[in-house]
Amino acid sequence: MVVAVGRVLFAVLFVVSGVLKLVDLTATAKDLAAHVVLPSVVSPYADQIAAFTGMPFEQILAIAAGATEIICALMIALNFGARFFAVVLMLFVLVATFYYHPFWDVSSSRHVDDTIQALKNLSLVGALLIIAGFPRTPRDAADLTLGERQL
């Protein structure tokens, strides 16, 4: 019961973050355009996707980012494929940390803030590793916590 409540409380952060990204899609797309630089190898494909959808690629990325956060968080909260979605969310957090919090740039005026945000994201990655490594079934968890004997 405690683990289930913890999963739900953990998921709230990502659900709210994802919803806020989708509610103000224009600002999210503008923010992504300012931070994310696509490699030249990917650019032709991004242009094709943008032409196919009729939306700027940054807006598609904004929708994908918000949806990823919401879907992964809900699946973790509901314990439906929680291990898989924890890994997906972990990769998302690592990529976001790389693009948005360059703590290694000591000349930046945001160095202290970026370092704190990167450390916060590192702790989220740690929590996601715990979720990804947590046993699948309540029976497995009981075996680990109660030290049940094997006959």
Side-chain angles (χ1 to χ4, degrees):
M1 178 69 170
V2 173
V3 173
V5 171
R7 252 199 279 271
V8 169
L9 292 175
F10 178 79
V12 167
L13 171 71
F14 292 100
V15 169
V16 170
S17 177
V19 167
L20 291 174
K21 280 178 179 61
L22 295 176
V23 166
D24 196 358
L25 203 54
T26 306
T28 304
K30 186 184 283 188
D31 194 35
L32 278 166
H35 285 93
V36 178
V37 178
L38 293 177
S40 59
V41 174
V42 178
S43 292
Y45 301 108
D47 293 339
Q48 288 178 357
I49 293 170
F52 178 74
T53 61
M55 291 188 286
F57 191 71
E58 292 80 14
Q59 191 171 8
I60 296 167
L61 279 179
I63 293 168
T68 298
E69 284 187 284
I70 293 168
I71 291 167
C72 289
L74 289 176
M75 294 299 108
I76 289 170
L78 297 171
N79 198 22
F80 184 78
R83 296 169 77 169
F84 170 76
F85 287 104
V87 171
V88 172
L89 200 50
M90 181 179 57
L91 294 173
F92 177 85
V93 170
L94 289 171
V95 169
T97 302
F98 176 78
Y99 281 109
Y100 279 84
H101 306 295
F103 61 89
W104 54 86
D105 183 8
V106 292
S107 64
S108 170
S109 63
R110 295 181 31 91
H111 174 67
V112 172
D113 186 50
D114 283 336
T115 301
I116 291 169
Q117 293 300 320
L119 290 171
K120 180 229 3 146
N121 285 358
L122 184 64
S123 67
L124 289 172
V125 168
L128 288 162
L129 283 171
I130 291 169
I131 292 169
F134 202 77
R136 278 184 219 218
T137 64
R139 174 96 173 129
D140 292 340
D143 289 348
L144 289 175
T145 58
L146 299 177
E148 185 175 286
R149 291 186 196 187
Q150 293 182 3
L151 298 176

